[in-house]
Amino acid sequence: MTDMTFVHLTDLHVLPNDEDELYGRRTTDKLRDIMMLIRNMDVSPDFFILSGDLVNDGQKAEYRRLNTVLDELREFGAPLILGLGNHDGRVNFRQIVLGEESTDESERYYHSTMFGGLRVIMLDSKLPDAVYGDLDEPQLAWLAEELQKPAPLGNLIAIHHPPVFSTVEPLSEHCLNNPEGLAEAIAGHHVHALLSGHIHYSHVTSFEGTISVTTPATAYILDPGSQRATRQIDGWGFTLGSFRGGQLYANPISMHGKPVQV
């Protein structure tokens, strides 16, 4: 298999202006810190995956600011695979980021892209006014059909909501509420991993013959050691992924600071 490297970013929570703060932190500064770190690494990403909560409140001004940030990411010269989370707005995203004439907030945004023989699939698990996720039947049928198509180097699937429980108990209510449908769709297919975000910390476990890799957020981290209550940590993270010899190597990277009182 041809070697490839990619970066998975999630939960950017971009705000309308660079000086705006979320819990006392500038989210675009966090993302730019990550860009700087990647530039200083000995890697050359073949693509970036951004799996939702691109902005904090789904507003037009936030997506206009996001476009500026995405232009900075494009300076790496690698394609950006975009997906949506519960904080996103489908219509504003489609109109401002994709340049489409969309008016239907219920129209899900899912798609697949081939990189050589590797298929990267982005799913849409956003539900209106809900913190948990869901995959509707048309999307699951599309996924099952997509996985039937040839992909000599296998498949990589991204989704905002993790399809597994969280070890931080309150966050288990924030995960995908119909993981059995996803499990049925991917069963028997060559899926390297399911990449997700949403819970703001690194979380790796098995799922239906593959692995579920939840990536730490770029905006702020939640403490995985606080299992009965959520506790925010000043920090940021991402996952550096590599394919070597036909295998996926996922390296979640987190930079932690002090606990934050919110």
Side-chain angles (χ1 to χ4, degrees):
M1 176 179 180
T2 302
D3 290 351
M4 278 188 276
T5 298
F6 68 92
V7 173
H8 178 210
L9 303 171
T10 188
D11 300 278
L12 284 63
H13 292 275
V14 168
L15 300 167
N17 301 289
D18 273 351
E19 63 271 17
D20 291 337
E21 294 183 345
L22 180 66
Y23 302 127
R25 300 295 181 269
R26 296 181 180 180
T27 58
T28 48
D29 285 354
K30 301 286 190 182
L31 183 54
R32 286 172 178 139
D33 285 344
I34 290 173
M35 291 186 214
M36 182 63 68
L37 178 60
I38 296 170
R39 289 190 187 100
N40 291 330
M41 288 180 167
D42 186 21
V43 298
S44 180
D46 292 280
F47 56 91
F48 285 78
I49 296 174
L50 288 74
S51 61
D53 284 1
L54 304 175
V55 302
N56 193 57
D57 201 33
Q59 299 303 308
K60 291 183 177 180
E62 293 175 326
Y63 285 112
R64 285 192 285 268
R65 174 57 56 185
L66 176 68
N67 276 339
T68 299
V69 174
L70 295 181
D71 284 343
E72 295 176 32
L73 271 174
R74 291 187 181 100
E75 293 176 5
F76 284 93
L80 308 181
I81 309 300
L82 304 179
L84 301 179
N86 55 296
H87 282 259
D88 287 300
R90 292 191 181 107
V91 169
N92 287 340
F93 167 78
R94 287 180 181 273
Q95 289 181 353
I96 295 171
V97 178
L98 301 184
E100 298 178 357
E101 296 181 0
S102 173
T103 58
D104 185 0
E105 189 64 33
S106 67
E107 183 183 1
R108 304 240 189 172
Y109 180 65
Y110 50 90
H111 51 92
S112 70
T113 307
M114 294 294 292
F115 294 94
L118 175 72
R119 180 186 293 114
V120 180
I121 297 173
M122 178 64 72
L123 300 178
D124 184 343
S125 55
K126 170 183 167 63
L127 280 175
D129 303 317
V131 293
Y132 59 87
D134 173 88
L135 294 174
D136 59 334
E137 288 301 323
Q139 184 173 186
L140 287 170
W142 171 85
L143 174 61
E145 183 177 348
E146 196 71 10
L147 290 171
Q148 294 287 346
K149 299 175 183 177
L153 304 184
N155 302 275
L156 187 63
I157 298 177
I159 180 174
H160 185 67
H161 296 82
V164 293
F165 288 116
S166 168
T167 53
V168 179
E169 291 177 9
L171 296 179
S172 285
E173 299 178 0
H174 292 222
C175 298
L176 191 68
N177 70 351
N178 60 338
E180 65 283 347
L182 178 58
E184 182 179 351
I186 70 172
H189 295 287
H190 185 192
V191 176
H192 291 283
L194 298 165
L195 304 176
S196 62
H198 188 51
I199 61 173
H200 283 241
Y201 73 93
S202 178
H203 187 272
V204 180
T205 189
S206 59
F207 181 83
E208 189 58 49
T210 185
I211 56 172
S212 169
V213 179
T214 301
T215 289
T218 75
Y220 62 89
I221 301 293
L222 292 180
D223 183 1
S226 179
Q227 297 192 353
R228 292 179 178 82
T230 57
R231 183 173 65 173
Q232 190 184 133
I233 300 174
D234 180 24
W236 44 254
F238 64 100
T239 291
L240 180 66
S242 298
F243 287 96
R244 298 290 183 268
Q247 288 185 287
L248 169 65
Y249 296 82
N251 301 285
I253 297 170
S254 295
M255 302 296 288
H256 287 187
K258 296 180 180 181
V260 176
Q261 299 298 323
V262 295

